[in-house]
Amino acid sequence: MELFFNPFDNLLCILLGISFTVWFTLLLVFIIVPAIFGVSFGIRRLYMKTLLKIFEWATLRIERGAKEKNHHLYKPYSNAIIAREPTSLEEEIKEIRRSGSNKDLDSASEFEMSDIFYFARRGVESIMDDEVTKRFSAEELESWNLLTRSNNNFTYISLRLTVLWGLGLLIRYGFLLPLRVTLAFTGVGLLVFLTSVIGLLPNGRMKNFLSEKVHLMCYRICVRALTAIITYHDSENKPKNGGICVANHTSPIDVIILASDGCYAMVGQIHGGLMGVIQRSMVKACPHVWFERSEVKDRHLVAKRLSDHVQDKSKLPILIFPEGTCINNTSVMMFKKGSFEIGATVYPVAIKYDPRFGDAFWNSSKFGMVSYLLRMMSSWAIVCSVWYLPPMSREEGEDAVQFANRVKAAIARQGGLVDLLWDGGLKREKVKDTFKEEQQKLYSKMLVGTQEDRSRS
């Protein structure tokens, strides 16, 4: 039986082989090797500056086209009620009564129908401008970053702008996404393999040294898988062994952002699947603190495990996100007090992302982990700033809640974030009855106080 070979098939195989060889050679020379030694050629920063110029040009084109068509496209807007100076419940109700028909406040009854307007207004304000739930949605941009065409007010502007968007789509999904997926699998694969090998070594300085180098190398490869451009400030305040690093939480990639500049002991619940494989391999090389699902709710057990870790000054600093959930890069919400009860030195870290290049916020109620990571890898880049704040310790007479609030305020101030007292757990839970009861007690106290004042007079 005679076989016929098509010369074009052989040529195609040769070209594919050359393409793969060139592809992995470029990855090795320009990305993986620099990640190993912690150096950068400045390509990502040049890429960021180029993107900024393109965004500025696109925004000018949009504004010009909107003026020509008499539209108000992409104009920043807000449906929020105009902010007022904060006042107490009693002052606001007195103001409502004063503006009513009854001008004599001293002769006011225990309850007036006009008081209802205060609670009705507060309810409407909460619906229109809820400072809690709006922290769990994507941050609004003032200009178009060429990432989406889903704006409800979008109309055709110009052929040049449409071609630019299409070209950007081709670059992001045709070139950047495959490159980043390759790098991600490379970084995670090396992390699992090398930490498993290091775990076979006896405990000692050599094992700790190799573990730190491997973790840094793999996290830096993963950072390049996101085209992350990170600016670290005040590195002299970086967390030290025996301490606790606390940071505001926007995304799961916060861990990679911080761990690419220093090694940390991670804290978290044990998972299954691929995440479980990674956790089991990492803990072989480094003493991370993993909890079983049944142990997570045992506060005393968690506190003891953390306390035992920080008391050993040879172990890496613990990395904790006290908010317990992801917030949309605009604010910092209530810190859980558990990590502030231990008594260890706390190293605050503020993380602020630049949303113009891609939205780093993980809305876990809307996107799963895989779809979220794909969105990150198909964005232009992840650009952020990290500030290492001076270490803080619990002061005399200060309880854990006050200490947590002081650290949170410092992080919010440095990162330019809004400091909120609300619990991030409201993302998935209903408002606790205690919050409602607090308002009822304030109103009751005001009425009782009015009665007592009248009886004295």
Side-chain angles (χ1 to χ4, degrees), residues 148-289:
T148 180
R149 295 289 285 274
S150 60
N151 191 299
N152 294 330
N153 297 323
F154 175 80
T155 59
Y156 174 80
I157 299 294
S158 70
L159 176 62
R160 191 176 300 178
L161 200 59
T162 303
V163 170
L164 179 62
W165 173 80
L167 182 61
L169 186 70
L170 182 64
I171 292 173
R172 289 189 293 111
Y173 286 93
F175 175 72
L176 292 179
L177 182 59
L179 172 65
R180 291 166 175 172
V181 170
T182 304
L183 286 173
F185 275 105
T186 302
V188 174
L190 285 175
L191 180 66
V192 172
F193 175 73
L194 294 177
T195 51
S196 298
V197 172
I198 293 173
L200 301 175
L201 300 176
N203 293 332
R205 291 184 178 180
M206 179 59 68
K207 181 178 180 178
N208 293 338
F209 174 79
L210 292 175
S211 174
E212 290 185 15
K213 294 301 179 184
V214 164
H215 277 83
L216 282 173
M217 177 191 72
C218 295
Y219 283 125
R220 285 168 180 167
I221 293 174
C222 291
V223 159
R224 284 161 171 79
L226 298 168
T227 315
I229 302 151
I230 314 166
T231 304
Y232 297 99
H233 305 271
D234 304 321
S235 295
E236 67 275 9
N237 297 324
K238 287 174 64 172
K240 296 178 174 58
N241 289 4
I244 298 178
C245 174
V246 298
N248 57 300
H249 199 23
T250 302
S251 161
I253 65 175
D254 293 339
V255 175
I256 301 174
I257 298 296
L258 293 177
S260 64
D261 191 47
C263 291
Y264 298 91
M266 309 298 176
V267 178
Q269 179 181 310
I270 296 176
H271 295 275
L274 177 61
M275 184 61 70
V277 173
I278 297 173
Q279 287 180 316
R280 288 191 294 272
S281 62
M282 288 172 61
V283 80
K284 293 177 183 178
C286 179
H288 298 285
V289 186

Side-chain angles (χ1 to χ4, degrees), residues 56-351:
E56 290 174 2
W57 177 85
T59 303
L60 290 175
R61 294 290 301 180
I62 291 171
E63 292 175 352
R64 189 180 305 169
K67 289 178 181 179
E68 291 175 356
K69 297 188 177 184
N70 197 24
H71 290 305
H72 300 283
L73 303 179
Y74 304 99
K75 182 179 180 181
Y77 67 92
S78 173
N79 59 356
I81 293 175
I82 298 175
R84 295 176 290 104
E85 290 295 326
T87 54
S88 66
L89 177 147
E90 184 175 357
E91 290 175 353
E92 292 197 33
I93 288 183
K94 283 184 177 180
E95 181 64 28
I96 292 174
R97 291 182 178 183
R98 191 178 292 112
S99 62
S101 58
N102 189 354
K103 304 293 183 182
D104 187 5
L105 293 179
D106 294 331
S107 63
S109 60
E110 296 182 2
F111 167 77
E112 284 197 9
M113 288 296 295
S114 61
D115 296 350
I116 297 175
F117 289 108
Y118 166 78
F119 298 102
R121 187 183 67 194
R122 290 298 300 269
V124 173
E125 287 178 352
S126 297
I127 295 172
M128 295 291 293
D129 191 24
D130 182 5
E131 66 177 7
V132 178
T133 55
K134 70 180 181 181
R135 308 299 174 180
F136 305 127
S137 58
E139 185 178 1
E140 188 174 325
L141 294 178
E142 294 187 359
S143 60
W144 187 32
N145 59 2
L146 304 177
L147 279 178
T148 180
R149 295 289 285 274
S150 60
N151 191 299
N152 294 330
N153 297 323
F154 175 80
T155 59
Y156 174 80
I157 299 294
S158 70
L159 176 62
R160 191 176 300 178
L161 200 59
T162 303
V163 170
L164 179 62
W165 173 80
L167 182 61
L169 186 70
L170 182 64
I171 292 173
R172 289 189 293 111
Y173 286 93
F175 175 72
L176 292 179
L177 182 59
L179 172 65
R180 291 166 175 172
V181 170
T182 304
L183 286 173
F185 275 105
T186 302
V188 174
L190 285 175
L191 180 66
V192 172
F193 175 73
L194 294 177
T195 51
S196 298
V197 172
I198 293 173
L200 301 175
L201 300 176
N203 293 332
R205 291 184 178 180
M206 179 59 68
K207 181 178 180 178
N208 293 338
F209 174 79
L210 292 175
S211 174
E212 290 185 15
K213 294 301 179 184
V214 164
H215 277 83
L216 282 173
M217 177 191 72
C218 295
Y219 283 125
R220 285 168 180 167
I221 293 174
C222 291
V223 159
R224 284 161 171 79
L226 298 168
T227 315
I229 302 151
I230 314 166
T231 304
Y232 297 99
H233 305 271
D234 304 321
S235 295
E236 67 275 9
N237 297 324
K238 287 174 64 172
K240 296 178 174 58
N241 289 4
I244 298 178
C245 174
V246 298
N248 57 300
H249 199 23
T250 302
S251 161
I253 65 175
D254 293 339
V255 175
I256 301 174
I257 298 296
L258 293 177
S260 64
D261 191 47
C263 291
Y264 298 91
M266 309 298 176
V267 178
Q269 179 181 310
I270 296 176
H271 295 275
L274 177 61
M275 184 61 70
V277 173
I278 297 173
Q279 287 180 316
R280 288 191 294 272
S281 62
M282 288 172 61
V283 80
K284 293 177 183 178
C286 179
H288 298 285
V289 186
W290 304 131
F291 296 96
E292 297 287 348
R293 182 182 293 272
S294 59
E295 298 175 334
V296 173
K297 295 183 179 180
D298 190 340
R299 292 182 63 251
H300 297 290
L301 176 63
V302 173
K304 186 178 185 309
R305 291 275 301 277
L306 296 180
S307 179
D308 292 342
H309 183 100
V310 298
Q311 287 177 4
D312 188 346
K313 301 303 179 183
S314 64
K315 292 184 178 180
L316 296 173
I318 294 175
L319 176 58
I320 295 178
F321 301 100
E323 288 169 297
T325 189
C326 294
I327 313 299
N328 72 348
N329 194 43
T330 62
S331 60
V332 185
M333 302 190 79
M334 187 181 78
F335 279 6
K336 304 294 190 297
K337 66 178 182 178
S339 55
F340 299 91
E341 294 176 323
I342 299 171
T345 302
V346 172
Y347 294 87
V349 176
I351 306 174

Side-chain angles (χ1 to χ4, degrees), residues 350-362:
I351 306 174
K352 178 66 175 178
Y353 291 90
D354 190 334
R356 292 175 295 177
F357 301 91
D359 183 18
F361 168 60
W362 181 35

